[in-house]
Amino acid sequence: MNYQDLSIKLIQEQYKLKNSKSKSILVIIGGIELTRKNQSIKKLSELMDPRYLKIKAETPNRVKENKLIWQPYINDIPKNGQIMFFYGNWYTDLLASTILNDEKIQNNVFNEHLKRIYEFESYLKNNNVDIIKVWFEVSWSKVKIRTKNIDIINKIKRVPRFTWDDFPQKKWKTKTLYNQIQTLRNRFTHDWVIINSENNIERNTQFSQLILKHLKLPPVQIKNKLKYQAAPIPSSLTQIKKSEISHIEYKKTIKQLERKVADVLRYSSHNVVLVFEGMDAAGKGSSIKRIIKFLGLHEYNIHSISAPENFERLRPYLWRFWNKHSTNGALNIFDRSWYGRVLVERVEDLINPIEWQNAYEEINQYEKQLSDTNTIVIKFWLAISKDEQLRRFYMRKNTPQKNFKLTEDDWRNREKWDAYLQAASDMFKYTSTDISPWYIIANDSKYAARIEILQTILHSVQNKNLGHLENL
C-alpha cells in the first residue's frame, strides 16, 4: 500500500473514531533515540489529520516510592474518540530511574512497579482505552553507524538533565547503555509490537499500518469477572442504635478529639484519604467540619462529588478521582466518592450489571495501589434510619439557610431506600478489605457519631504511623 492510499484509509478511520466516540487509542512508545522513532510519529501526523492527534512528549519522571508510577500521566489519558501518543511514559520512567538513579531500583521493586502498571493498563483496556505498545528496535551495529553521524556532546548540552541522551559519550561507544536498556526492556515487552527500525521507510509504514489496524478494531467486549451473590443486609443498617450523650460531655470530648486528630493528621508520615458515603442527610458534611476544625486551609482538600460532567463521562470512570490524590501530605476528604459506581449508578440503572460488578475489584486494586504508595484510606458509611432521614428532610425544608440542601432527587432517592441498602451491603461485602475496611457509623445521634468518627481516624492513623516506625 502506498502512502497516498494509506493516508486515505487512516483519515477515514480517524474520523469514524472521532465521531463515534466508541473508544480511545493510547499509543505507548518505547525504544532508544537512535531508532528515530520520532520520525514515525511525524510521518503519521502527515498521513492523518494532525488536529486530532495528541502527543505527550516529556523527559522521564523520577519514580518515587510514595507516588503511583502512572500518576503523572493521568490528565492526558485520552477520552473516547481521541488518539494520544505517550512519547515518554511510565515504562520510560521506570527504565530511566533504574539506569540513572544514584540508588538503583532493586528487582523486587521493579517488578512491583510493573505489576501496578499492568493493573492500571488492564483497567484502561476494560474501559474503552485501546492500548498499543510499540518498541522501536535497532541493532547495535546500526547504533554505531548512527552515533558517528551525530555530535553527542552538543546533543547532551541542549537537552534537559535526566534524559536518555544525558550520558557520557563513552556509554554509547562501549555499548553499555544499549545493553542496559535491552536487558531491562526484555522484562516487559512480551506484549509489545516490536518494529525493526533499520530502514526508515519500512519502519514508518509498519507503524502507520499498525495504527490503522487498531483504528478498525471494535471496542473490547467487557467480561464479567465476578460471580455475584447478593449480600445479606447487616443489622447495622436496619437497626440503628441511638447512643445518648449529654451536650456538656459532648462539647468537652469533641474539642479534645478535634485537636488530637488535627495533630495526628498534620504530622503523619502518610497521605490520608477519608471517604464518606451514606444516605442523603446522613450527616457527612457536619462530620467533615469537625475533622478540619483545627487544620489550616492548606492542610486539606474537600472533594464534593456529584454526577460526572460530560467530558468526564468520555473517560474511564475512575479518571476523575485519580488527580485528586495529592502526595504532599495534604488530607483529602471525599464527600461521596468513587463508590458512586456501585451505589447511585447501579441503583439508577445508569450502567449495566457487568460494569458495577467489575467495579468492586477495580476499586480494590485502586485502593491497594494507594496503600502501597504510602496512603491510608479510611472509609465511613453513615447509617441513619428512614424515620430520622424524614425528620432531617423536614428540618432542612423549614430552615432557610439549609433548605437549599433538600432537592427533588433526595425525595426520589428515598423511594429507593431498600435498593440502596442492598447496594451498600454488597459494597461492604466486596470492598471492605484488610488494608481499607469500611466503618459503619450509626448516625441517628450526631454527637455520638462524630466522636466515633474522630476516634476511628485517630486510631487508624496512629496505628499506621506506629507500623511505619517499626519497619524502619
Side-chain angles (χ1 to χ4, degrees):
M1 185 185 303
N2 60 42
Y3 276 143
Q4 183 176 355
D5 291 340
L6 184 56
S7 177
I8 293 172
K9 291 182 180 299
L10 281 166
I11 292 172
Q12 288 174 342
E13 296 301 328
Q14 180 183 16
Y15 271 82
K16 285 180 184 178
L17 176 68
K18 176 181 176 294
N19 295 330
S20 71
K21 294 180 172 55
S22 58
K23 68 174 184 178
S24 63
I25 292 180
L26 173 60
V27 187
I28 296 176
I29 303 296
I32 62 173
E33 293 303 320
L34 295 172
T35 56
R36 299 172 180 169
K37 55 185 180 289
N38 64 317
Q39 294 182 10
S40 292
I41 298 175
K42 289 180 179 179
K43 184 61 181 179
L44 184 69
S45 297
E46 296 172 6
L47 298 176
M48 302 179 71
D49 188 337
R51 296 175 299 172
Y52 305 113
L53 293 181
K54 295 185 177 295
I55 302 170
K56 181 180 176 64
E58 294 184 356
T59 56
N61 299 287
R62 292 187 185 274
V63 174
K64 298 180 180 179
E65 184 179 351
N66 67 338
K67 192 171 185 178
L68 290 167
I69 192 169
W70 41 262
Q71 197 164 17
Y73 302 93
I74 289 169
N75 290 334
D76 296 291
I77 297 297
K79 63 183 180 182
N80 288 350
Q82 280 187 338
I83 305 171
M84 170 66 76
F85 295 85
F86 278 179
Y87 189 87
N89 48 74
W90 37 80
Y91 291 100
T92 50
D93 290 352
L94 186 56
L95 282 172
S97 295
T98 303
I99 294 171
L100 294 176
N101 270 357
D102 294 332
E103 296 182 6
K104 303 300 182 185
I105 294 178
Q106 300 300 312
N107 282 340
N108 62 323
V109 178
F110 189 97
N111 291 335
E112 186 60 36
H113 282 303
L114 284 181
K115 179 182 176 184
R116 292 171 191 162
I117 288 171
Y118 294 154
E119 288 177 349
F120 178 63
E121 290 178 350
S122 177
Y123 174 76
L124 294 179
K125 291 174 184 176
N126 288 330
N127 286 270
N128 295 324
V129 181
D130 186 358
I131 298 179
I132 312 169
K133 296 187 282 190
V134 186
W135 184 270
F136 290 85
E137 184 65 283
V138 67
S139 66
W140 171 243
S141 60
K142 196 69 171 180
V143 169
K144 287 195 295 183
I145 294 172
R146 290 177 179 176
T147 53
K148 292 178 181 179
N149 298 327
I150 61 173
D151 186 340
I152 294 288
I153 299 301
N154 287 332
K155 192 173 178 65
I156 291 172
K157 288 179 181 177
R158 68 181 176 83
V159 296
R161 186 177 179 276
F162 198 54
T163 73
W164 293 121
D165 297 299
D166 185 19
F167 287 89
Q169 188 172 3
K170 64 181 182 181
K171 280 203 172 185
W172 293 100
K173 297 294 187 181
T174 60
K175 201 179 176 182
T176 303
L177 177 59
Y178 181 87
N179 283 342
Q180 285 180 307
I181 294 176
Q182 293 290 39
T183 299
L184 288 171
R185 74 91 170 166
N186 282 329
R187 297 171 65 175
F188 60 75
T189 52
H190 56 277
D191 60 344
W192 291 52
V193 176
I194 310 297
I195 293 182
N196 187 303
S197 302
E198 306 275 318
N199 182 286
N200 291 338
I201 295 177
E202 290 179 2
R203 178 200 62 226
N204 294 346
T205 302
Q206 186 178 349
F207 181 65
S208 297
Q209 288 176 335
L210 175 65
I211 302 304
L212 177 60
K213 173 186 173 183
H214 279 263
L215 281 167
K216 292 180 176 180
L217 292 176
V220 173
Q221 293 297 313
I222 303 173
K223 297 180 180 179
N224 197 338
K225 303 175 185 176
L226 178 72
K227 294 182 179 179
Y228 168 74
Q229 289 185 327
I233 297 175
S235 60
S236 54
L237 295 186
T238 57
Q239 301 172 24
I240 311 299
K241 297 178 181 180
K242 193 167 185 176
S243 304
E244 298 298 334
I245 181 173
S246 70
H247 184 71
I248 295 175
E249 182 182 355
Y250 166 74
K251 295 297 287 185
K252 177 183 177 181
T253 304
I254 197 74
K255 191 170 184 178
Q256 292 175 343
L257 281 172
E258 286 170 343
R259 290 188 181 277
K260 287 182 179 179
V261 166
D263 283 341
V264 76
L265 291 172
R266 179 176 293 122
Y267 301 115
S268 175
S269 58
H270 295 79
N271 302 304
V272 178
V273 171
L274 304 179
V275 173
F276 285 87
E277 294 285 357
M279 298 292 193
D280 297 319
K284 296 180 286 295
S286 60
S287 298
I288 291 170
K289 287 181 183 179
R290 273 68 194 180
I291 296 168
I292 63 173
K293 178 75 173 181
F294 292 104
L295 290 173
L297 291 174
H298 63 286
E299 294 180 296
Y300 65 87
N301 301 302
I302 298 176
H303 308 287
S304 298
I305 305 301
S306 55
E309 302 289 344
N310 287 335
F311 74 95
E312 293 172 328
R313 296 179 193 276
L314 293 173
R315 289 183 168 90
Y317 176 79
L318 289 175
W319 179 84
R320 66 186 182 127
F321 302 102
W322 290 334
N323 59 0
K324 292 180 172 62
H325 293 284
S326 57
T327 57
N328 61 357
L331 168 68
N332 283 287
I333 304 173
F334 288 85
D335 183 349
R336 300 201 186 278
S337 68
W338 43 92
Y339 283 97
R341 191 67 162 175
V342 296
L343 292 170
V344 62
E345 292 198 5
R346 166 189 171 172
V347 173
E348 298 294 336
D349 291 324
L350 299 175
I351 56 177
N352 62 56
I354 293 178
E355 289 175 297
W356 62 256
Q357 288 173 22
N358 284 346
Y360 296 128
E361 182 57 29
E362 292 170 347
I363 288 171
N364 287 341
Q365 288 181 354
Y366 175 42
E367 292 177 353
K368 174 67 164 55
Q369 292 209 19
L370 289 175
S371 176
D372 289 343
T373 49
N374 203 43
T375 299
I376 307 170
V377 182
I378 307 172
K379 304 181 297 196
F380 296 102
W381 176 272
L382 305 189
I384 59 172
S385 64
K386 201 170 184 179
D387 289 343
E388 176 63 17
Q389 186 193 58
L390 185 60
R391 187 187 72 80
R392 294 181 186 181
F393 276 11
Y394 280 116
M395 182 178 294
R396 286 182 174 184
K397 182 178 181 180
N398 297 322
T399 305
Q401 67 270 32
K402 290 186 177 181
N403 58 26
F404 72 92
K405 292 184 176 182
L406 188 63
T407 67
E408 290 299 322
D409 283 343
D410 294 331
W411 291 107
R412 187 170 55 81
N413 292 341
R414 182 173 165 81
E415 296 175 0
K416 299 183 178 182
W417 184 274
D418 291 342
Y420 275 104
L421 286 185
Q422 185 61 62
S425 302
D426 291 341
M427 179 180 72
F428 302 145
K429 174 182 177 180
Y430 289 110
T431 67
S432 191
T433 62
D434 291 339
I435 61 168
S436 184
W438 277 100
Y439 297 95
I440 301 176
I441 309 294
N443 204 16
D444 274 11
S445 171
K446 287 190 174 183
Y447 286 176
R450 291 168 186 168
I451 288 172
E452 187 177 355
I453 289 168
L454 291 175
Q455 288 174 334
T456 301
I457 295 171
L458 187 63
H459 295 155
S460 296
V461 179
Q462 284 177 333
N463 290 340
K464 201 74 173 182
N465 288 341
L466 179 61
H468 177 74
L469 291 173
E470 289 174 348
N471 290 329
L472 293 178

